[in-house]
């Protein structure tokens, strides 16, 4: 059968990805107003897909909607970042353990690490790192558990980019990722879970000590 070309993204998806990238790259600063009509004009589309994109970004925690004020890029406080990482610490190691025990394919994780190593900017690196983590817990076979972790992905990227701008710890974190992947490829579910726990706990400790203020 002939291969059919991939469908182009919908207007809503295009608006979503464009606005998200600008938030995570810092083009849209924390607290900055996002005006529907201005975004629609810039993206050469009606306000409806922009409105739908902003609703999705609100759900993922990247923007906040304030009555009578409008939509603004979310400003993560230190307490916000700590709460995000505390939740990951509670859930992610167990999700990784279950996923590895079920024989998760590590190819996606290795590709994500390669993309992170080649990244020329913090947002791209952070998104690749989030893809690495997601590929490891995706096979946990618990929709509630993975749904919560999926919901934290963008917020984690926002916290990581802001943190690296003050405390460029990503090189050490890359070494930790390599060790996690080695445990996954060895099908050692318990060790992969423990290394994931240490990895998240280390970042969380830096947040609590005030090394990261985002």
């Amino acid at each position: 059968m002939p291969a059919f070309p991939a469908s182009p993204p919908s207007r809503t998806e295009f608006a979503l990805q464009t606005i998200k990238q600008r938030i995570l790259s810092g083009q849209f600063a924390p607290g900055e107003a996002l005006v529907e009509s201005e975004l629609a004009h810039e993206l050469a589309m009606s306000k409806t897909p922009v409105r739908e994109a902003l609703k999705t970004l609100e759900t993922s925690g990247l923007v906040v909607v304030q009555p009578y004020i409008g939509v603004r890029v979310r400003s993560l406080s230190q307490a916000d970042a700590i709460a995000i990482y505390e939740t990951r610490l509670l859930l992610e190691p167990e999700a990784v353990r279950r996923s590895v025990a079920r024989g998760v394919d590590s190819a996606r994780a290795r590709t994500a690490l390669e993309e992170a190593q080649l990244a020329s900017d913090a947002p791209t690196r952070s998104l690749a790192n989030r893809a690495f983590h997601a590929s490891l817990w995706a096979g946990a076979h618990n929709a509630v558990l993975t749904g919560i972790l999926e919901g934290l992905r963008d917020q984690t990227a926002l916290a990581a980019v802001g943190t690296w701008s003050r405390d460029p710890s990503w090189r050490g974190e890359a070494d930790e990722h390599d060790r996690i992947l080695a445990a996954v490829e060895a099908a050692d579910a318990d060790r992969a879970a423990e290394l994931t726990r240490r990895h998240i706990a280390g970042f969380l400790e830096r947040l609590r000590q005030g090394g990261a203020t985002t």
Side-chain angles (χ1 to χ4, degrees):
M1 291 179 62
F4 291 97
S7 299
S10 67
R11 288 180 178 270
T12 299
E13 182 64 22
F14 176 76
L16 174 62
Q17 295 305 322
T18 302
I19 298 169
K20 178 191 291 188
Q21 180 60 27
R22 292 183 183 181
I23 291 172
L24 294 178
S25 68
Q27 286 182 266
F28 291 151
E32 182 174 343
L34 299 179
V35 181
E36 250 180 50
S37 58
E38 294 177 359
L39 289 169
H41 177 74
E42 183 179 350
L43 298 175
M45 59 179 63
S46 70
K47 291 193 292 186
T48 299
V50 172
R51 184 179 305 122
E52 293 303 314
L54 292 175
K55 287 180 181 178
T56 300
L57 290 169
E58 181 187 18
T59 301
S60 67
L62 290 186
V63 305
V64 292
V65 179
Q66 300 169 301
Y68 309 109
I69 296 177
V71 181
R72 293 186 180 274
V73 178
R74 184 180 180 187
S75 297
L76 282 181
S77 67
Q78 184 180 9
D80 291 332
I82 287 173
I84 291 166
Y85 275 83
E86 283 180 337
T87 304
R88 287 186 63 198
L89 184 61
L90 288 169
L91 300 179
E92 192 166 329
E94 175 60 17
V96 169
R97 188 192 67 77
R98 293 185 180 203
S99 191
V100 175
R102 289 177 174 271
V104 65
D105 183 355
S106 63
R108 289 174 57 196
R110 180 160 293 283
T111 297
L113 285 194
E114 291 170 355
E115 291 174 353
Q117 290 169 359
L118 295 173
S120 59
D121 57 80
T124 301
R125 183 181 303 113
S126 181
L127 290 174
N129 284 341
R130 301 290 69 75
F132 167 76
H133 282 277
S135 71
L136 298 186
W137 47 251
H141 286 249
N142 183 314
V144 175
L145 177 59
T146 56
I148 294 171
L149 290 171
E150 181 64 35
L152 292 174
R153 284 181 69 183
D154 290 340
Q155 297 176 63
T156 299
L158 190 61
V161 170
T163 298
W164 289 341
S165 68
R166 299 168 176 83
D167 176 22
S169 59
W170 61 268
R171 289 184 179 84
E173 292 165 29
D175 292 339
E176 294 170 3
H177 286 160
D178 287 338
R179 290 193 286 273
I180 293 170
L181 182 58
V184 172
E185 292 179 334
D188 190 337
D190 289 338
R191 179 163 174 76
E194 175 58 19
L195 290 172
T196 298
R197 186 197 66 77
R198 293 180 193 174
H199 174 66
I200 298 171
F203 196 94
L204 178 57
E205 183 60 25
R206 290 195 295 278
L207 286 172
R208 287 172 170 161
Q209 290 176 352
T213 58
T214 187

